[in-house]
Every structure is written in structure tokens, then in C-alpha cells.
């Protein structure tokens, strides 16, 4: 019996039947069909008050946009259908507990950090974190300690961290309370998460995992293992990204051995809306059912399509797909189709724009040297072929010689942190010209989105390397966010008198 047959057999016999239930989605549908005289919110009154929404979204959807009701439970203190749906979600992800999150994994990361860290606690984390992690540190007051993050050659992509580096950093600083990891990075790189979890738990250090881009991992044996399945203490999954739920629908997953689940619920109730969208929550219920029942089959097709696309794109002159090397070769999310375009003399930003303007193809993101396509449950061979043909046409029609040797973009991998993000956030600040900011402490985050990795963060010493990176991004027309001066002529820095 091969591995795939074994996997399907385990799912069929032990878990399949109970995961056919969709308690929240079914209850919401049943309620929407009742003849209700609605004197509660929302104010559109089941689609009757705003006709244009009814026309564009459909009457059935508008009837299901409701607020907390006795029949439909309340996410702040779930006792009914939401509790049942969250328990099924926890089982699907091999976690002890699961919480619905309706403001994306951004909110889930804030809740995760606030649940386990406090002012002046130290957290070990890679530099290529999403900005939500940095903002979570502002909320909880913890101080970041950055891990070395390896770069993938001339592609300029941050990979992941090594277990040996995690162990070395923990040996150097016994005050580190938690390690925050990515599983995977935006481009699909993972690390030996199981070994890192063992290293951390031997020292009573918590393991927190941002799995925004790994919501599909537990549902196919050819994908990397998920965090909570390996024993991580808390993880966040963007089920809307690769699991099929509606946009913003995510989950916070908890293993109870080292985590106070009641405190997690308290933090969620503090940071999440009391009017969570039932459309988003019920989409998590439906997506979970689909992943357990159909995920293996759908992901087998997804993996095949991604491998097929890689083979075809690697035959196009000037292009190569981004592949794992060295330690990363052991485990990699093949569904993240990264393509290096430097050989065309084009930036990733230029190829991204060409794709949607000329070929009606929407990629996930560009950076200086690469573009990223996410292959997931709903992809079809015909669209994969459209993507391949578009790459062929760009390579033949838009190739430029002049930019092939451009200086690769480099992430500032080991910044000098002088103040905690929280202290920096609440300090007095001033705007200064770009060049005059060198040597000062940053008073703002600046990042290119996507992927949302900070180039500089509050409390960090601004170096010439930071200024060069920001100029490169501006010249390449990258979409920069969070900077106060939208022209990027000035930077917000902490006033000197705050530091005395």
C-alpha cells in the first residue's frame, strides 16, 4: 500500500463522517430561509434596504448577513453551533482548540502575541516577518531579537531560519520567552520545524507559528507538516488564502500544554469585533469540511499543476522557477510558483504589470527580481497554460538587455534594535530628509506590499543600507505602505531629546 492510499484510509475510517457536518453553515442557511421580521442589525434588513447590494451580491447572500442571535451562537462565548464548528476545525488541524478569526491572520497574530508575551519579554523571530507581527509587538510591548535569515542567491529572496541558529541564539540569551516562525515564507520555504520545536521546548520556550500561507498543509502528505501537528504551541492559518474560505477568514490554533486557552479567548474578545461576520465564519465551516473530505484529491491536482508549470516555465529562455536548495530541499511548498525574471532584463514589477494589463492574468505579487503565482484548490489546467503562454510571449516580446546586471535587492536581515517597537511607537517624532535620517532611530515602519515585510521598523537604527533599499523600491515603483511621507523624500524618526 502506498503513502497516498494509507493517508486516504486513515481519513476515511477515523474522521470522514463527523467532518461531513457543517453546523454553523447549516444553521445560517436554515435561518436565512425563515420568514423573519427583522428589528435587529444589520440595517439593510436582509437585503431590502440597499437594493444595489441585493442586485450585485444576490438576495441569498444578503439574507445570510446577520448578527449574533440565540440560534446562531455568539463567537465571544461560543456554546452552540459556533462551538461545534470550532471543535471540528481544531480536529481538522490536529489542534487542541481553534478560534474563528474574521480580521484575517493579521488579527490572529496580534491575539497570539498578546496571549503569551508582555512588556519587555523577548521574542526570537526572523526578519522576514509580516508587518502584523511587528504591530503585535507594539501592542504587547515585547522586544524583538532577530534571527539570521538566509537569502536565496541572486534572486534576493529571504528563505527561512536554521535550527542551529535558533539553538545558538537561545543558548546566548536565556531570557527569550518565545520563538516566532514562518511556515512557510511567501515563496514557500520552510525549515525543520519539528527540530526547532524540540529545541525550544527543552528550554521551556514557546513556539509561535505564522502559517498564513500554509493552511493547506495538513491535508496532503506531499506538503510540509503543519505547526500544531508537530507540537507548536500556537499557530495562525489564513484559511482564506489556500484553504478556500472567504477573504479575511482565518483561524487561531492552540495546543493546551503550555498555553492558557481562557486567556487566548479573553484576548480575542478584546481585539476582535463583537459583530463578527457570519458569512466569514460560516465560510470557515464550509472550507474545513471541503479540506477534510476533498482536500487530498484537490491538492494532488494542485501539486501536479504546479510541477507541470515549473517544468514548462524552466524551458523558457531567461526564466527559471525558484526552487529549494541545501537544507530547504527537504521540505518545500511546491504550490508557491515563484519565477525569477532577471534573465529577461525586467523587474518583477514590470512583469507583474504586463501580466494583468496585456494578458488578463493576476499574479499574487512581484518583487525586484521575481513574481509569484499561488496555485491552489480552484486552479485549472487551461489557466495554467495561459500563464505559461504569457511567460513565453513576455520572454520573446519584452526582453531587455539593459537591466540584466542590476544590483539585486537585499533585505536588511539583522537590524540594530535600540528601542522596543512599543516604546518607539509612543515616542515623539519628526520628519527629516532621507539622507539625514542615517544614524537616527526609525519612528515608523516602511514596507513594500505584498509581501508586507518591513524594510525598517520603529526603534531600529537607520543605516545607509536602509536608505539604498528604500530608493531602489521607489525607483522600481513598488507599492510602499505605512510611510508618513508618501513621496518618500522624508522619514519619520524619533526626536533626539526622547533618547536622553
Amino acid at each position: 500500500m502506498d503513502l497516498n492510499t494509507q493517508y486516504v484510509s486513515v481519513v476515511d475510517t477515523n474522521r470522514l463522517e463527523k467532518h461531513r457536518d457543517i453546523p454553523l453553515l447549516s444553521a445560517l442557511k436554515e435561518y436565512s430561509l425563515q420568514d423573519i421580521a427583522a428589528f435587529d442589525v444589520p440595517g439593510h434588513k436582509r437585503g431590502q434596504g440597499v437594493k444595489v447590494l441585493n442586485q450585485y451580491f444576490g438576495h441569498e447572500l444578503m439574507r445570510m448577513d446577520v448578527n449574533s442571535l440565540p440560534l446562531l451562537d455568539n463567537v465571544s462565548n461560543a456554546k452552540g453551533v459556533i462551538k461545534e464548528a470550532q471543535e471540528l476545525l481544531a480536529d481538522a488541524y490536529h489542534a487542541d482548540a481553534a478560534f474563528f478569526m474574521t480580521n484575517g491572520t493579521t488579527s490572529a497574530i496580534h491575539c497570539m502575541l498578546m496571549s503569551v508575551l508582555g512588556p519587555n519579554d523577548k521574542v526570537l523571530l526572523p526578519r522576514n516577518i509580516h508587518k502584523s507581527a511587528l504591530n503585535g509587538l507594539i501592542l504587547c510591548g515585547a522586544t524583538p531579537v532577530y534571527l539570521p535569515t538566509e537569502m536565496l542567491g541572486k534572486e534576493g529572496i529571504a528563505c527561512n531560519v536554521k535550527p542551529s541558529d535558533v539553538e545558538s541564539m537561545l543558548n546566548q540569551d536565556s531570557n527569550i520567552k518565545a520563538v516566532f516562525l514562518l511556515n512557510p515564507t511567501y515563496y514557500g520555504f520552510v525549515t525543520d520545524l519539528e527540530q526547532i520545536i524540540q529545541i525550544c521546548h527543552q528550554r521551556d520556550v514557546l513556539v509561535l507559528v505564522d502559517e498564513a500561507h500554509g493552511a493547506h498543509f495538513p491535508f496532503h502528505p506531499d506538503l510540509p507538516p503543519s505547526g500544531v501537528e508537530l507540537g507548536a504551541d500556537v499557530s495562525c492559518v489564513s484559511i482564506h488564502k489556500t484553504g478556500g474560505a472567504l477573504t479575511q477568514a482565518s483561524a487561531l490554533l492552540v495546543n493546551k500544554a503550555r498555553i492558557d486557552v481562557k486567556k487566548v479567548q479573553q484576548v480575542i474578545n478584546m481585539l476582535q469585533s463583537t459583530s463578527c461576520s457570519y458569512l466569514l465564519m460560516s465560510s470557515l465551516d464550509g472550507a474545513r469540511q471541503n479540506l477534510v473530505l476533498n482536500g487530498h484529491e484537490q491538492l494532488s491536482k494542485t501539486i501536479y499543476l504546479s510541477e507541470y508549470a515549473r517544468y514548462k516555465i524552466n524551458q523558457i529562455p531567461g526564466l527559471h522557477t525558484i526552487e529549494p536548495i541545501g537544507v530547504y530541499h527537504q521540505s518545500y511548498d511546491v504550490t508557491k510558483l515563484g519565477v525569477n525574471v532577471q534573465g529577461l532584463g525586467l523587474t518583477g514589477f514590470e512583469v507583474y504589470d504586463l501580466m494583468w494589463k496585456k494578458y488578463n492574468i493576476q499574479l499574487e505579487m512581484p518583487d525586484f527580481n521575481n513574481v509569484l503565482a499561488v496555485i491552489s484548490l480552484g486552479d485549472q489546467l487551461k489557466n495554467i497554460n495561459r500563464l505559461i503562454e504569457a511567460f513565453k510571449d513576455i520572454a520573446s516580446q519584452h526582453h531587455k538587455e539593459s537591466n540584466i546586471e542590476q544590483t539585486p535587492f537585499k533585505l536588511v536581515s539583522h537590524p540594530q534594535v535600540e528601542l522596543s517597537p512599543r516604546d518607539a511607537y509612543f515616542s515623539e517624532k519628526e520628519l527629516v530628509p532621507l539622507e539625514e535620517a542615517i544614524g537616527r532611530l526609525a519612528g515608523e515602519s516602511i514596507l513594500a506590499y505584498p509581501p508586507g515585510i518591513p524594510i525598517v521598523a520603529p526603534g531600529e537604527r537607520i543605516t545607509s543600507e536602509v536608505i539604498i533599499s528604500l530608493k531602489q523600491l521607489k525607483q522600481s515603483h513598488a507599492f510602499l505602505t505605512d510611510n508618513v511621507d508618501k513621496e518618500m523624500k522624508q522619514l519619520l524618526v524619533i526626536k533626539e531629546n526622547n533618547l536622553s
Side-chain angles (χ1 to χ4, degrees):
M1 183 181 290
D2 63 24
L3 180 61
N4 288 352
T5 305
Q6 287 180 334
Y7 180 85
V8 173
S9 174
V10 170
V11 171
D12 284 346
T13 56
N14 297 338
R15 304 168 70 208
L16 195 63
E17 284 307 314
K18 72 176 179 180
H19 279 284
R20 294 189 187 279
D21 290 345
I22 38 176
L24 179 57
L25 187 57
S26 296
L28 181 61
K29 178 68 173 179
E30 179 184 338
Y31 181 81
S32 73
L33 296 175
Q34 295 181 24
D35 181 18
I36 304 292
F39 292 101
D40 60 349
V41 295
H44 60 69
K45 301 292 180 171
R46 311 188 98 195
Q48 299 308 304
V50 187
K51 299 298 183 182
V52 66
L53 296 183
N54 217 39
Q55 289 174 336
Y56 276 74
F57 291 160
H59 185 55
E60 187 173 2
L61 182 145
M62 294 300 293
R63 288 175 67 89
M64 288 192 284
D65 182 36
V66 300
N67 203 0
S68 298
L69 303 160
L71 177 66
L72 298 178
D73 206 358
N74 189 306
V75 73
S76 298
N77 184 20
K79 296 179 179 179
V81 289
I82 292 178
K83 179 176 182 289
E84 293 175 37
Q86 289 186 149
E87 287 174 349
L88 284 168
L89 186 65
D91 182 78
Y93 277 92
H94 311 282
D96 291 335
F99 298 91
F100 289 163
M101 305 298 300
T102 58
N103 193 28
T105 296
T106 290
S107 178
I109 286 174
H110 294 167
C111 292
M112 176 167 67
L113 294 171
M114 286 280 287
S115 296
V116 301
L117 296 172
N120 303 316
D121 283 341
K122 289 184 178 180
V123 57
L124 187 63
L125 71 178
R127 179 56 177 181
N128 54 328
I129 52 170
H130 187 265
K131 73 169 186 174
S132 56
L134 183 64
N135 291 335
L137 297 183
I138 292 174
L139 289 173
C140 71
T143 300
V145 178
Y146 288 108
L147 276 159
T149 304
E150 291 202 335
M151 304 295 289
L152 186 63
K154 66 178 182 179
E155 288 89 349
I157 294 172
C159 297
N160 217 308
V161 299
K162 292 180 179 179
S164 58
D165 287 332
V166 173
E167 186 170 29
S168 175
M169 296 289 282
L170 292 179
N171 288 340
Q172 292 175 37
D173 192 339
S174 60
N175 292 318
I176 291 172
K177 185 175 181 180
V179 173
F180 181 98
L181 301 166
L182 301 175
N183 189 53
T185 68
Y186 222 136
Y187 278 100
F189 292 98
V190 298
T191 184
D192 189 338
L193 196 55
E194 184 172 18
Q195 185 180 351
I196 292 177
I197 291 169
Q198 291 174 354
I199 290 168
C200 292
H201 285 172
Q202 287 170 359
R203 294 162 174 77
D204 200 27
V205 172
L206 297 173
V207 179
L208 318 175
V209 187
D210 174 0
E211 292 188 292
H213 297 275
H216 54 306
F217 281 3
F219 305 100
H220 200 285
D222 292 340
L223 294 169
S226 66
V228 291
E229 193 173 1
L230 292 174
D233 298 291
V234 193
S235 80
C236 310
V237 286
S238 292
I239 300 178
H240 68 95
K241 283 186 167 70
T242 58
L246 296 180
T247 296
Q248 282 189 216
S250 294
L252 186 63
L253 308 172
V254 180
N255 279 327
K256 296 179 178 179
R258 296 170 180 80
I259 302 297
D260 183 348
V261 178
K262 292 180 180 178
K263 182 177 181 181
V264 174
Q265 180 71 76
Q266 286 180 321
V267 173
I268 291 173
N269 289 350
M270 180 174 67
L271 296 181
Q272 182 156 254
S273 172
T274 55
S275 302
C276 289
S277 167
Y278 273 82
L279 293 171
L280 298 185
M281 290 191 293
S282 62
S283 80
L284 287 167
D285 201 22
R288 179 269 312 157
Q289 185 213 53
N290 179 69
L291 284 167
V292 176
L293 270 58
N294 308 310
H296 184 273
E297 180 182 354
Q298 290 180 323
L299 288 166
S300 292
K301 179 182 176 183
T302 301
I303 292 167
Y304 166 77
L305 290 175
S306 184
E307 295 283 21
Y308 167 76
R310 288 172 187 279
Y311 173 75
K312 291 291 187 179
I313 290 169
N314 282 327
Q315 294 179 327
I316 302 172
L319 298 177
H320 69 267
T321 59
I322 295 166
E323 307 290 346
I325 56 172
V327 66
Y328 306 106
H329 188 65
Q330 297 174 358
S331 190
Y332 177 70
D333 182 10
V334 71
T335 69
K336 305 300 189 295
L337 180 60
V339 181
N340 181 266
V341 299
Q342 285 173 287
L344 302 181
L346 300 170
T347 67
F349 303 109
E350 290 173 308
V351 172
Y352 178 90
D353 285 346
L354 281 169
M355 280 288 185
W356 71 266
K357 288 179 180 177
K358 185 174 179 180
Y359 304 97
N360 284 339
I361 291 175
Q362 182 62 60
L363 296 175
E364 171 65 15
M365 62 162 260
D367 59 37
F368 265 96
N369 309 315
N370 315 283
V371 291
L372 176 67
V374 174
I375 315 299
S376 56
L377 304 176
D379 277 301
Q380 303 295 321
L381 180 60
K382 65 178 182 178
N383 281 339
I384 297 294
N385 282 327
R386 277 183 63 183
L387 178 65
I388 293 165
E389 291 304 313
F391 272 123
K392 286 181 181 178
D393 196 58
I394 290 172
S396 63
Q397 300 295 324
H398 299 278
H399 187 286
K400 289 194 283 187
E401 298 293 340
S402 57
N403 292 334
I404 292 179
E405 298 301 327
Q406 65 179 356
T407 303
F409 177 77
K410 291 184 179 180
L411 183 71
V412 181
S413 59
H414 204 70
Q416 185 178 345
V417 180
E418 300 287 351
L419 286 178
S420 73
R422 183 185 182 91
D423 287 343
Y425 178 82
F426 286 107
S427 295
E428 286 189 72
K429 306 173 188 73
E430 61 183 346
L431 281 168
V432 300
L434 211 58
E435 299 295 343
E436 293 180 20
I438 296 174
R440 301 287 296 273
L441 296 189
E444 63 181 342
S445 297
I446 303 178
L447 46 119
Y449 194 87
I453 298 169
I455 307 303
V456 66
E460 294 176 2
R461 185 74 62 185
I462 298 170
T463 64
S464 58
E465 185 183 12
V466 168
I467 301 302
I468 291 169
S469 297
L470 292 175
K471 286 181 176 179
Q472 278 185 292
L473 288 166
K474 181 182 177 182
Q475 290 168 2
S476 296
H477 306 291
F479 182 68
L480 297 173
T481 69
D482 292 18
N483 43 306
V484 172
D485 178 12
K486 301 307 178 186
E487 298 297 320
M488 193 50 69
K489 294 179 179 179
Q490 301 179 97
L491 289 184
L492 193 67
V493 299
I494 295 171
K495 286 186 175 181
E496 297 287 357
N497 58 10
N498 273 217
L499 306 175
S500 56

